[in-house]
């Protein structure tokens, strides 16, 4: 339960956290390090950035080139471990779309990490209320700072 004071009157609300699932997979170390550094620079949790992407990819609002995904299939590069949690429904929807398209989840995620780290696009964040609900904290605009950085470059 969360207690809030509204105009001097206490208001109580029941809040429940969405079910989560863990992802533990090996990813290209160089791309992962670049992604982590860029998320840290922007001040955004990696799992929130990835979950936002997963939702958009599963809903058909974000596309990656097949070549960008498949180039990580057997790249022979040094690997690191991505170990994080996501909203279970979002992850399972994303995983299903990846499978239906003939891709492994980790290859799609690595391709996204590379694209995001290259800073040549702006990720849509229309479902920010869902992110706020899931993480239970106030995030006014997950990509507001990123958008400002892009605007400076234009």
């Amino acid at each position: 339960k969360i207690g809030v004071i509204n105009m001097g009157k206490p208001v109580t609300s029941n809040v429940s956290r969405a079910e989560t699932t863990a992802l533990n997979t090996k990813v290209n170390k160089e791309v992962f390090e670049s992604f982590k550094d860029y998320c840290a620079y922007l001040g955004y949790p990696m799992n929130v950035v990835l979950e936002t992407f997963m939702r958009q990819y599963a809903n058909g609002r974000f596309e990656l080139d097949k070549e960008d995904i498949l180039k990580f299939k057997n790249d022979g590069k040094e690997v690191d471990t991505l170990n994080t949690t996501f909203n279970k429904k979002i992850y399972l929807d994303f995983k299903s779309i990846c499978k239906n398209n003939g891709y492994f989840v980790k290859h799609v995620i690595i391709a996204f990490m590379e694209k995001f780290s290259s800073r040549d696009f702006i990720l849509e964040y229309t479902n920010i209320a869902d992110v706020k609900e899931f993480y239970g904290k106030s995030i006014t605009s997950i990509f507001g700072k990123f958008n400002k950085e892009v605007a400076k470059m234009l």
Side-chain angles (χ1 to χ4, degrees):
K1 286 191 174 204
I2 296 178
V4 180
I5 305 258
N6 183 14
M7 302 290 283
K9 300 175 187 176
V11 177
T12 304
S13 176
N14 288 325
V15 177
S16 62
R17 190 175 167 109
E19 188 177 358
T20 61
T21 190
L23 175 66
N24 186 346
T25 189
K26 301 287 184 194
V27 295
N28 178 297
K29 184 175 183 169
E30 182 180 325
V31 172
F32 187 40
E33 290 297 322
S34 179
F35 177 74
K36 285 194 300 190
D37 291 346
Y38 194 51
C39 286
Y41 168 75
L42 295 173
Y44 305 135
M46 288 185 318
N47 61 329
V48 174
V49 174
L50 287 170
E51 189 174 290
T52 302
F53 158 69
M54 287 178 185
R55 177 186 300 272
Q56 291 179 22
Y57 187 82
N59 291 335
R61 294 193 333 251
F62 191 100
E63 294 182 20
L64 292 165
D65 292 333
K66 181 178 181 177
E67 295 79 25
D68 290 338
I69 296 170
L70 295 179
K71 75 181 178 182
F72 292 105
K73 191 170 184 177
N74 293 311
D75 69 357
K77 302 276 182 158
E78 188 176 358
V79 296
D80 200 351
T81 302
L82 169 64
N83 185 0
T84 190
T85 59
F86 302 106
N87 175 298
K88 187 173 185 175
K89 181 183 180 335
I90 292 171
Y91 176 72
L92 292 177
D93 290 347
F94 170 73
K95 183 177 178 181
S96 174
I97 295 297
C98 290
K99 185 177 180 181
N100 290 344
N101 290 335
Y103 304 131
F104 288 106
V105 164
K106 71 179 183 177
H107 298 142
V108 176
I109 288 175
I110 298 168
F112 166 72
M113 287 178 174
E114 182 182 59
K115 184 81 169 166
F116 184 76
S117 300
S118 72
R119 307 171 190 196
D120 67 351
F121 76 100
I122 298 173
L123 191 62
E124 180 184 332
Y125 55 90
T126 56
N127 292 313
I128 196 67
D130 295 333
V131 174
K132 284 183 189 177
E133 177 185 333
F134 177 66
Y135 290 98
K137 53 184 152 179
S138 177
I139 303 174
T140 54
S141 170
I142 191 70
F143 295 103
K145 184 176 176 184
F146 178 70
N147 292 343
K148 288 176 190 170
E149 292 296 320
V150 170
K152 285 182 198 175
M153 294 187 286
L154 297 177

